[in-house]
Amino acid sequence: MLDSTATPLKTLLRRRKPGYSLEAPFYTSPEIFAADMDVIFGHHWLFVGVDPDIPEPGDAMTLNIGKASIFLVRDDDGEVRAFHNVCRHRGAPIVHDYKTTVGNLVCRYHSWTYGLDGKLLAASHMGEDFDASCHGLKPVHVRSLEGLLFVCLADEPPEDFEVMAAKMAPYLAPHDLKNAKVAFEKDIIEPGNWKLTMENNRECYHCAGNHPELTVPLFAYGFGFAPEELDEHERKEAEDYDKLLKASHREWESCGFPSTLMEHLDDMATGFRTERLPLAGDGESHTNDTKAACKKLLGRINDPKHGALHFWTQPNSWHHFMSDHAVVFSVLPLDAERSLLRTKWLVHKDAVEGVDYTIENLTGVWDATNDQDSELVGYCQDGARSPAYEPGPYSPHTEMLVDKFCNWYVNRMTAHLGR
Amino acid sequence: MLDSTATPLKTLLRRRKPGYSLEAPFYTSPEIFAADMDVIFGHHWLFVGVDPDIPEPGDAMTLNIGKASIFLVRDDDGEVRAFHNVCRHRGAPIVHDYKTTVGNLVCRYHSWTYGLDGKLLAASHMGEDFDASCHGLKPVHVRSLEGLLFVCLADEPPEDFEVMAAKMAPYLAPHDLKNAKVAFEKDIIEPGNWKLTMENNRECYHCAGNHPELTVPLFAYGFGFAPEELDEHERKEAEDYDKLLKASHREWESCGFPSTLMEHLDDMATGFRTERLPLAGDGESHTNDTKAACKKLLGRINDPKHGALHFWTQPNSWHHFMSDHAVVFSVLPLDAERSLLRTKWLVHKDAVEGVDYTIENLTGVWDATNDQDSELVGYCQDGARSPAYEPGPYSPHTEMLVDKFCNWYVNRMTAHLGR
Amino acid sequence: MLDSTATPLKTLLRRRKPGYSLEAPFYTSPEIFAADMDVIFGHHWLFVGVDPDIPEPGDAMTLNIGKASIFLVRDDDGEVRAFHNVCRHRGAPIVHDYKTTVGNLVCRYHSWTYGLDGKLLAASHMGEDFDASCHGLKPVHVRSLEGLLFVCLADEPPEDFEVMAAKMAPYLAPHDLKNAKVAFEKDIIEPGNWKLTMENNRECYHCAGNHPELTVPLFAYGFGFAPEELDEHERKEAEDYDKLLKASHREWESCGFPSTLMEHLDDMATGFRTERLPLAGDGESHTNDTKAACKKLLGRINDPKHGALHFWTQPNSWHHFMSDHAVVFSVLPLDAERSLLRTKWLVHKDAVEGVDYTIENLTGVWDATNDQDSELVGYCQDGARSPAYEPGPYSPHTEMLVDKFCNWYVNRMTAHLGR
Ligand code: FES
Ligand code: FES
Ligand code: FES
Ligand SMILES: [Fe+3]
Ligand SMILES: [Fe+3]
Ligand SMILES: [Fe+3]
């Protein structure tokens, strides 16, 4: 009756009904949000950016993961390092801008100076008993998977990142993201819990009614349907799509582009899924006219008709790699009811804006789609706030991946918190 | 000393001192606000609008009651129905605008479609085991009392609504609100707990010093005074008022307008009070010149000098019915320290703006009065925040109804929470 | 793992490590903020303004101390009185403006009327049993220390205010603040916990790198340094400064200006510190050109080269008294992460703006310095929010007073809360 009688998190986790959306507190409770930030965002690998965000030694990028402020910096050997952005003296941030280039790392408050390896190099007035070697910046685990940067805030990150990396590298390598550049990036704040943003990403049941731009290049049949509801014409279309998918996979794999479905969404700590899918229309890219947005293709690709390689990761990212460009998305929770969605569009590093591509054409489909999804996420947040909300059933044909996201979430929370 | 030692709600309820304002946490504590929303706003009849808000089949109106989002809709048989505005699939709202007209009710997210009776009519891709009959919209109790719409969120609403309805119908019927129209409506957010808004409404001790417009049509003596403080002139005025009141009641009742005081403010779950009072000056209406604001009179009234029928309800409304127009007020709590006050001015449905009435003249008195009251409510909220605040004594002559509001509140809370 | 396992305040106090900054919850936790407001701001003497804020009988000034709203008023005998700004009827504020002049004190809500001594003089409609003598305004302890106004919200204020007053009066008296006027005042909201604002004030380790204006009149050596880090030139400078300090003290004391260091920062409930320090350049004032900002000097001073008398108090103020003007600062916490810094610049009451001084020149140094400090305080607040923050070591040469502030805070909290 009063808030003090709120159901404990462990009970909510234990009684979660598979095939149904989560109970309301998972989307609204500040306490569960804090637990999410600890367990999920504090102990798993998170996608946070790309190698081309910080291409040169000294390039740095800051980032907030919940209450943690970190920065990534490319050191003098060309390696990416990550640190907590907190001076060991009295806690001031070391790097202030989102993206910048630094020499040494000098705190603005009292000028303590650290190297790019995090070591404390200078601190005045600290007296003769002061041990600088105990006051280096606190490191954060960071890995690059073919140009995709993942961090983990835990002391001991999940080890199966290596499994994902080994399996995914052949899929990603041909797009050669390390030799791409960020042509455009955009942050939007979605008015919903981060899990609603993820759930929305994991189904296309809503695409037909809400994404007029995205459904031009996308084949609806690639995202599930109830066969018993198809009329004769639709059944024919579905069969044609299935043939196209198989033929495309055969062709792409034969020229060295792994394409078939691989899915570990709820059976790994570092859960993921991938598949290369053919596109509709001219079949080249996620653009309004389905043609490549950039004349210069990525990596060693020379045929624009390479479909779209999709890469979904738990808990916070998805990626679309086309022949000409890639779009990468990361979700950074802000509070129980707001999430940052950060989208970056990448093209070959030698492509020239205005000559090889325009920002408008490159970003048109996903910029519009993100805004549409943001509104939908807000709807569900409104619903979750209502005392009348109760978990509803997922479609067995179009919302399987949403269900798997929830499975993964419940499993990981339970693994950390105990039953 | 720390917040953790906050006095429990039940203790606060038990030790409430009659004749005094409530202790500070009743006005400031988010926990008690949550209890209010559960007990008071979750289990009692609330005034939320008027039949003329949704005159035709398909007309719908949305509303937030705390965290609950509901909508009212007139069905094809002309009956008003109310539902939780939460899709049974993944919780998106069904109706998005404040007022709109709908055919069927189609969710924007995945197009689940409901009838005006709340039944789920269509949901694609849900598989053959899905039972649509279990996934209709959740209904909310709704009643029209001579055009005034009340809802109750509880499964089992207080039964004494029928008692109030039977007693009040003869008072209200002559004004025929169902054949009126909403000429104007306005929301303001008062910077105070909903109980302060209600307490402010329940006394006119503050009128003389704060309401220059309202005190033109209102007789001060109608709202209580300390007889021992009157000088000779005032005593004469008070006696004159008393005679006028009795004469008016006799006259109005003789032509079929029930007018005498009826009060059940703290002895019913559905507490209310009513009385028809004469007006000062020309005695016609709550206007700056005390004359009728609308040439066309309400219902079957043909003499503009009908005074003002006041109707106060617990926990959240008050109403003034004059010969020419009615003003109805509902209070919708937003959080512990903010409340929405929604005011609607109604005239005969055939009255023509600019010909029979102007908005400015119609709304002048109460628009100004609401703003003045809002400021006063904010003062009390400021006071309640202070550690120096302690409950102060109500005037036995001018604040009896405030005391009864508090009695009702404490009784209802205690009835639900136990001692 | 979840917030519910937050370390208790007493444990945090007990395990505080001397010589290190406080643990993060002291800067971020709303619960500890509430305890601070109760123990520190509810039971100690606070600097809140100056006699010249309310020079004449009837002059009043309002103020918020956490959730408490109070006002100071000069009564008809010229004495300063302070009251809770809460009507004893239903809690409305009595004085609404920051600074105003009143006759009697009349509540706007129902016109209860109080005298400048707080007594309830009139309250209508309250009936014959009402005892006005029990419903006077609640008084707040207030003291003037040579023109500096301190209040204490507790029933029994720390008695050692008298000790501080006796010791400080001879230092302050020559500047004769009661015959000064407030030439300018300014509020800024610092984005940090009040303790970070105080810690920032208690060291000049950050001055060289952050305060280009302030370091013109200030001698860096006056605020500590590590002798082992000085080069030969710097050692000479430090020795010269030391000689100047001693010579200045001798000279000033000989003409009746107490100047030597007196420090009770962590050994009194009413902790304080004072010292008169020589200034650099022309040595006259805290101005961009180190010359006096006001032609008319304060009190009985006739030589502009009087250095700066610094007066620091726990928990919430610092003051700089020069020959020509004084700058006084008070810190009023707003919430766990925001603090109001109120700065007032005072000159002789007969000085004429535009003739004897300009606001721009008078306020230039400290207005800029405050903004710089506010940004630095925000940095530390950002750091304290991070899970990677841990208490860092204070410099034994330049941050001793920060350490003493923390000692005082921990001692006072422990004294009130028990171990
Ligand atoms: S906080 Fe970084 S040097 Fe002091
Ligand atoms: S949320 Fe309404 S149809 Fe899916
Ligand atoms: S609240 Fe002050 S007179 Fe009523
Ligand atoms: Fe979408
Ligand atoms: Fe009023
Ligand atoms: Fe500073």
Side-chain angles (χ1 to χ4, degrees):
Chain A
M1 183 163 286
L2 294 185
D3 270 6
S4 55
T5 63
T7 312
L9 174 50
K10 284 188 192 182
T11 306
L12 291 170
L13 289 167
R14 212 158 41 219
R15 77 185 185 198
R16 190 249 160 171
K17 202 167 154 192
Y20 281 76
S21 62
L22 300 174
E23 291 192 58
F26 285 107
Y27 305 118
T28 60
S29 152
E31 287 74 30
I32 295 182
F33 179 77
D36 286 2
M37 294 316 294
D38 175 12
V39 175
I40 302 296
F41 284 81
H43 289 85
H44 291 85
W45 287 99
L46 310 173
F47 172 70
V48 295
V50 289
D51 268 283
D53 279 317
I54 45 172
E56 301 296 328
D59 287 352
M61 173 170 69
T62 59
L63 197 76
N64 291 318
I65 299 171
K67 291 177 178 169
S69 170
I70 66 168
F71 69 92
L72 286 72
V73 63
R74 192 169 299 275
D75 71 16
D76 294 325
D77 300 327
E79 292 301 307
V80 176
R81 291 171 175 264
F83 299 100
H84 283 284
N85 195 11
V86 180
C87 181
R88 293 297 305 279
H89 179 219
R90 276 167 56 195
I94 299 302
V95 182
H96 289 261
D97 298 320
Y98 172 40
K99 289 187 182 177
T100 186
T101 301
V102 296
N104 277 331
L105 297 160
V106 185
C107 179
R108 284 194 201 162
Y109 204 169
H110 311 90
S111 302
W112 284 25
T113 302
Y114 306 84
L116 295 188
D117 57 0
K119 285 211 183 95
L120 178 59
L121 303 178
S124 63
H125 300 304
M126 290 308 295
E128 292 171 342
D129 292 341
F130 177 69
D131 183 355
S133 74
C134 298
H135 291 92
L137 294 176
K138 294 189 179 177
V140 171
H141 294 279
V142 61
R143 291 290 315 269
S144 170
L145 167 49
E146 296 293 331
L148 299 173
L149 296 174
F150 292 81
V151 300
C152 181
L153 296 174
D155 291 336
E156 301 189 6
E159 293 176 4
D160 62 0
F161 183 88
E162 306 309 325
V163 177
M164 177 178 79
K167 286 176 186 277
M168 281 305 303
Y171 280 77
L172 297 167
H175 298 271
D176 193 16
L177 210 64
K178 291 194 185 187
N179 283 306
K181 67 173 179 183
V182 177
F184 194 73
E185 63 181 291
K186 187 168 177 179
D187 285 352
I188 64 173
I189 293 176
E190 297 200 351
N193 185 277
W194 68 275
K195 295 188 283 294
L196 291 176
T197 297
M198 295 306 298
E199 293 179 35
N200 175 269
N201 167 256
R202 296 294 146 95
E203 49 95 356
C204 218
Y205 186 1
H206 68 272
C207 291
N210 292 281
H211 294 320
E213 295 83 1
L214 183 62
T215 46
V216 173
L218 237 54
F219 278 112
Y221 297 102
F223 297 88
F225 53 88
E228 68 272 17
E229 291 172 12
L230 300 185
D231 64 23
E232 200 152 335
H233 174 72
E234 289 165 338
R235 189 155 25 239
K236 177 72 172 57
E237 280 187 338
E239 284 166 13
D240 287 350
Y241 172 76
D242 197 53
K243 282 179 204 156
L244 173 66
L245 177 69
K246 284 179 179 136
S248 300
H249 279 183
R250 266 194 310 275
E251 184 196 326
W252 294 330
E253 298 237 331
S254 73
C255 46
F257 292 82
S259 302
T260 52
L261 175 67
M262 183 163 55
E263 180 177 307
H264 295 281
L265 281 175
D266 60 3
D267 59 2
M268 285 176 63
T270 308
F272 72 100
R273 182 182 201 268
T274 197
E275 186 174 18
R276 199 181 297 269
L277 294 178
L279 294 171
D282 280 306
E284 294 183 1
S285 202
H286 283 177
T287 51
N288 285 316
D289 63 1
T290 71
K291 290 190 163 299
C294 184
K295 283 185 203 151
K296 209 158 171 37
L297 300 187
L298 290 172
R300 59 178 174 81
I301 305 176
N302 44 34
D303 176 0
K305 298 212 182 192
H306 257 85
L309 173 70
H310 300 270
F311 177 35
W312 295 270
T313 77
Q314 316 286 39
N316 85 320
S317 79
W318 60 93
H319 312 261
H320 308 300
F321 290 84
M322 279 73 69
S323 59
D324 64 319
H325 78 280
V327 199
V328 299
F329 305 76
S330 62
V331 178
L332 295 168
L334 298 177
D335 57 35
E337 308 209 346
R338 290 183 315 138
S339 308
L340 182 72
L341 174 63
R342 176 164 289 171
T343 307
K344 303 184 186 204
W345 287 261
L346 294 113
V347 296
H348 193 286
K349 73 175 193 299
D350 298 333
V352 178
E353 190 188 336
V355 177
D356 296 308
Y357 68 95
T358 67
I359 299 297
E360 195 186 347
N361 189 38
L362 181 70
T363 64
V365 165
W366 276 107
D367 190 32
T369 302
N370 281 345
D371 286 346
Q372 292 148 5
D373 282 327
S374 180
E375 191 171 359
L376 298 171
V377 163
Y379 293 167
C380 286
Q381 190 67 37
D382 288 342
R385 258 183 235 121
S386 167
Y389 169 88
E390 65 180 74
Y394 291 136
S395 158
H397 297 294
T398 64
E399 294 175 295
M400 307 78 65
L401 306 189
V402 187
D403 196 35
K404 284 184 179 169
F405 170 77
C406 293
N407 293 344
W408 178 87
Y409 169 77
V410 169
N411 291 346
R412 299 314 305 160
M413 293 294 280
T414 304
H416 278 252
L417 299 174
R419 293 208 136 249
Chain B
M1 184 162 286
L2 295 184
D3 269 6
S4 56
T5 62
T7 312
L9 173 51
K10 283 187 192 181
T11 306
L12 292 171
L13 289 168
R14 214 157 41 217
R15 77 185 185 199
R16 190 251 160 168
K17 203 167 153 190
Y20 282 76
S21 62
L22 301 174
E23 291 192 58
F26 285 108
Y27 305 118
T28 59
S29 153
E31 286 73 31
I32 295 182
F33 179 77
D36 285 2
M37 294 316 294
D38 176 11
V39 176
I40 303 296
F41 284 80
H43 289 85
H44 291 85
W45 286 99
L46 311 172
F47 172 70
V48 295
V50 288
D51 268 283
D53 279 318
I54 46 172
E56 300 296 326
D59 287 352
M61 173 171 69
T62 59
L63 196 75
N64 291 318
I65 299 171
K67 291 177 178 171
S69 169
I70 67 168
F71 69 93
L72 285 74
V73 64
R74 192 169 297 275
D75 71 15
D76 293 326
D77 300 327
E79 293 301 306
V80 176
R81 291 171 175 264
F83 299 100
H84 283 283
N85 195 10
V86 179
C87 181
R88 293 297 304 279
H89 179 220
R90 276 167 57 195
I94 299 301
V95 181
H96 289 261
D97 299 320
Y98 172 41
K99 290 187 183 178
T100 186
T101 301
V102 296
N104 278 330
L105 297 159
V106 184
C107 179
R108 285 194 201 163
Y109 204 171
H110 311 90
S111 302
W112 285 24
T113 302
Y114 306 85
L116 296 188
D117 57 359
K119 284 208 183 100
L120 179 57
L121 304 178
S124 63
H125 299 305
M126 291 307 295
E128 291 171 341
D129 292 343
F130 177 71
D131 183 355
S133 73
C134 299
H135 291 91
L137 294 176
K138 294 188 180 176
V140 171
H141 294 280
V142 61
R143 291 291 312 271
S144 170
L145 167 49
E146 296 293 331
L148 299 172
L149 297 174
F150 291 81
V151 299
C152 180
L153 296 173
D155 290 336
E156 301 189 6
E159 292 175 4
D160 61 1
F161 184 90
E162 307 310 325
V163 177
M164 177 177 80
K167 286 176 185 280
M168 281 304 304
Y171 281 77
L172 298 167
H175 298 270
D176 194 16
L177 210 64
K178 291 195 185 188
N179 284 307
K181 67 173 177 182
V182 177
F184 194 72
E185 62 181 291
K186 186 168 177 179
D187 285 352
I188 65 174
I189 293 176
E190 297 200 351
N193 184 278
W194 68 275
K195 294 187 283 298
L196 292 176
T197 296
M198 294 306 297
E199 292 180 35
N200 176 268
N201 167 256
R202 296 294 146 95
E203 48 96 354
C204 219
Y205 187 178
H206 69 272
C207 290
N210 292 280
H211 293 321
E213 294 83 1
L214 183 62
T215 45
V216 173
L218 237 55
F219 278 111
Y221 296 103
F223 296 88
F225 53 88
E228 68 273 16
E229 291 171 12
L230 300 186
D231 62 23
E232 199 149 339
H233 174 71
E234 288 164 338
R235 188 154 25 238
K236 176 73 170 54
E237 279 187 337
E239 283 166 13
D240 289 350
Y241 173 75
D242 198 53
K243 282 178 204 153
L244 173 66
L245 177 70
K246 285 181 180 134
S248 300
H249 279 183
R250 267 194 309 274
E251 182 196 327
W252 295 330
E253 298 237 330
S254 74
C255 48
F257 292 81
S259 303
T260 53
L261 175 68
M262 181 163 55
E263 180 176 308
H264 294 281
L265 281 174
D266 59 3
D267 59 3
M268 284 175 65
T270 307
F272 72 99
R273 183 182 200 266
T274 195
E275 187 174 18
R276 196 180 299 267
L277 294 179
L279 295 170
D282 280 305
E284 295 182 2
S285 201
H286 284 179
T287 52
N288 284 316
D289 62 1
T290 69
K291 290 191 163 298
C294 184
K295 282 183 204 153
K296 208 159 171 35
L297 300 187
L298 289 172
R300 59 179 173 82
I301 306 176
N302 43 35
D303 176 359
K305 297 212 183 194
H306 257 84
L309 173 71
H310 301 269
F311 177 34
W312 295 271
T313 77
Q314 314 288 38
N316 86 320
S317 79
W318 59 93
H319 312 260
H320 307 301
F321 290 84
M322 277 74 69
S323 60
D324 65 319
H325 77 280
V327 199
V328 299
F329 306 75
S330 61
V331 178
L332 296 166
L334 298 176
D335 57 35
E337 308 207 347
R338 290 183 314 138
S339 308
L340 182 73
L341 175 63
R342 176 163 289 170
T343 307
K344 304 185 187 204
W345 287 261
L346 294 113
V347 296
H348 193 286
K349 73 175 193 300
D350 298 333
V352 177
E353 189 187 337
V355 177
D356 296 307
Y357 67 95
T358 67
I359 299 297
E360 196 186 344
N361 188 39
L362 181 70
T363 64
V365 167
W366 276 107
D367 190 31
T369 301
N370 281 345
D371 286 347
Q372 292 148 3
D373 282 327
S374 180
E375 192 171 359
L376 298 172
V377 163
Y379 292 166
C380 286
Q381 189 67 35
D382 287 344
R385 259 184 232 119
S386 167
Y389 169 88
E390 64 180 75
Y394 290 134
S395 157
H397 297 294
T398 64
E399 294 175 295
M400 306 78 66
L401 306 189
V402 188
D403 196 36
K404 284 184 179 170
F405 171 76
C406 293
N407 292 344
W408 178 87
Y409 169 77
V410 168
N411 291 345
R412 299 315 304 159
M413 293 294 279
T414 304
H416 278 252
L417 299 174
R419 291 209 137 248
Chain C
M1 183 162 283
L2 295 184
D3 270 6
S4 54
T5 64
T7 312
L9 173 51
K10 284 188 190 179
T11 306
L12 292 170
L13 288 167
R14 212 156 42 217
R15 77 185 185 200
R16 191 251 161 170
K17 203 168 153 191
Y20 282 77
S21 62
L22 301 174
E23 292 193 57
F26 284 109
Y27 305 119
T28 59
S29 152
E31 286 75 29
I32 294 182
F33 179 78
D36 285 3
M37 294 316 294
D38 176 12
V39 175
I40 302 297
F41 284 81
H43 289 85
H44 290 85
W45 286 100
L46 310 173
F47 172 70
V48 295
V50 289
D51 267 285
D53 279 319
I54 45 172
E56 300 296 328
D59 286 351
M61 173 171 68
T62 58
L63 196 76
N64 291 318
I65 299 170
K67 291 176 178 170
S69 170
I70 67 169
F71 68 93
L72 285 72
V73 64
R74 193 169 297 275
D75 70 17
D76 294 325
D77 299 327
E79 292 302 306
V80 176
R81 292 171 174 263
F83 299 99
H84 283 283
N85 195 12
V86 179
C87 181
R88 293 297 305 279
H89 179 220
R90 277 165 58 194
I94 300 300
V95 182
H96 288 261
D97 298 321
Y98 172 41
K99 290 187 182 176
T100 186
T101 300
V102 296
N104 277 331
L105 298 158
V106 185
C107 179
R108 285 195 202 160
Y109 205 169
H110 312 89
S111 302
W112 285 25
T113 302
Y114 306 85
L116 295 188
D117 57 0
K119 284 209 184 98
L120 180 57
L121 304 178
S124 63
H125 300 304
M126 290 308 295
E128 292 171 340
D129 292 341
F130 177 69
D131 183 354
S133 74
C134 298
H135 291 91
L137 294 176
K138 294 187 180 179
V140 171
H141 294 280
V142 62
R143 290 289 315 269
S144 171
L145 168 48
E146 295 294 332
L148 299 174
L149 297 174
F150 291 82
V151 300
C152 180
L153 297 173
D155 291 336
E156 301 189 5
E159 293 175 4
D160 62 0
F161 183 89
E162 307 310 326
V163 177
M164 177 177 81
K167 286 175 185 281
M168 281 304 304
Y171 281 77
L172 297 168
H175 298 270
D176 193 16
L177 210 64
K178 291 195 187 189
N179 284 307
K181 66 173 178 182
V182 178
F184 194 73
E185 62 182 292
K186 187 169 177 180
D187 286 352
I188 64 173
I189 293 176
E190 298 200 351
N193 185 276
W194 68 275
K195 295 187 284 296
L196 293 175
T197 296
M198 294 307 297
E199 293 179 34
N200 176 270
N201 168 256
R202 297 293 147 95
E203 49 96 356
C204 218
Y205 187 0
H206 69 271
C207 291
N210 291 281
H211 293 320
E213 294 83 1
L214 183 61
T215 45
V216 173
L218 238 54
F219 278 111
Y221 295 102
F223 296 89
F225 53 88
E228 68 272 16
E229 290 172 13
L230 299 185
D231 64 23
E232 201 150 335
H233 175 71
E234 289 165 337
R235 189 153 26 235
K236 175 76 170 54
E237 280 187 338
E239 284 165 14
D240 288 349
Y241 172 76
D242 198 52
K243 281 178 204 154
L244 173 65
L245 178 70
K246 285 180 180 135
S248 300
H249 280 184
R250 266 193 311 272
E251 184 196 326
W252 295 330
E253 299 238 330
S254 74
C255 47
F257 292 81
S259 302
T260 53
L261 175 68
M262 182 163 53
E263 180 176 307
H264 295 282
L265 281 174
D266 59 4
D267 58 4
M268 284 176 63
T270 307
F272 72 100
R273 183 182 200 267
T274 196
E275 188 174 16
R276 198 180 298 268
L277 294 179
L279 294 171
D282 281 305
E284 295 183 2
S285 202
H286 283 178
T287 51
N288 285 315
D289 62 2
T290 70
K291 290 190 163 301
C294 185
K295 283 184 205 154
K296 209 160 173 32
L297 300 187
L298 290 172
R300 59 176 174 83
I301 305 176
N302 44 34
D303 176 359
K305 297 212 184 194
H306 256 84
L309 173 70
H310 300 269
F311 177 35
W312 295 270
T313 76
Q314 315 287 37
N316 85 320
S317 80
W318 59 95
H319 313 261
H320 308 301
F321 290 85
M322 279 74 68
S323 59
D324 65 320
H325 77 281
V327 198
V328 300
F329 306 75
S330 61
V331 178
L332 296 167
L334 298 177
D335 56 36
E337 308 208 347
R338 290 183 314 138
S339 308
L340 182 73
L341 175 64
R342 176 164 290 170
T343 307
K344 303 185 187 202
W345 287 261
L346 293 114
V347 297
H348 192 287
K349 73 176 192 299
D350 298 333
V352 177
E353 190 187 336
V355 177
D356 296 308
Y357 67 96
T358 67
I359 300 296
E360 196 185 345
N361 189 38
L362 181 70
T363 64
V365 167
W366 277 107
D367 190 32
T369 302
N370 280 346
D371 286 347
Q372 292 149 5
D373 281 327
S374 180
E375 191 171 0
L376 298 172
V377 163
Y379 293 167
C380 286
Q381 189 67 37
D382 287 344
R385 259 183 232 121
S386 167
Y389 169 87
E390 64 180 75
Y394 291 134
S395 158
H397 297 292
T398 64
E399 293 174 296
M400 307 78 64
L401 306 189
V402 188
D403 196 35
K404 284 184 180 169
F405 171 78
C406 293
N407 293 344
W408 180 86
Y409 169 77
V410 169
N411 291 346
R412 298 315 304 160
M413 293 294 279
T414 305
H416 278 252
L417 299 173
R419 292 211 134 244

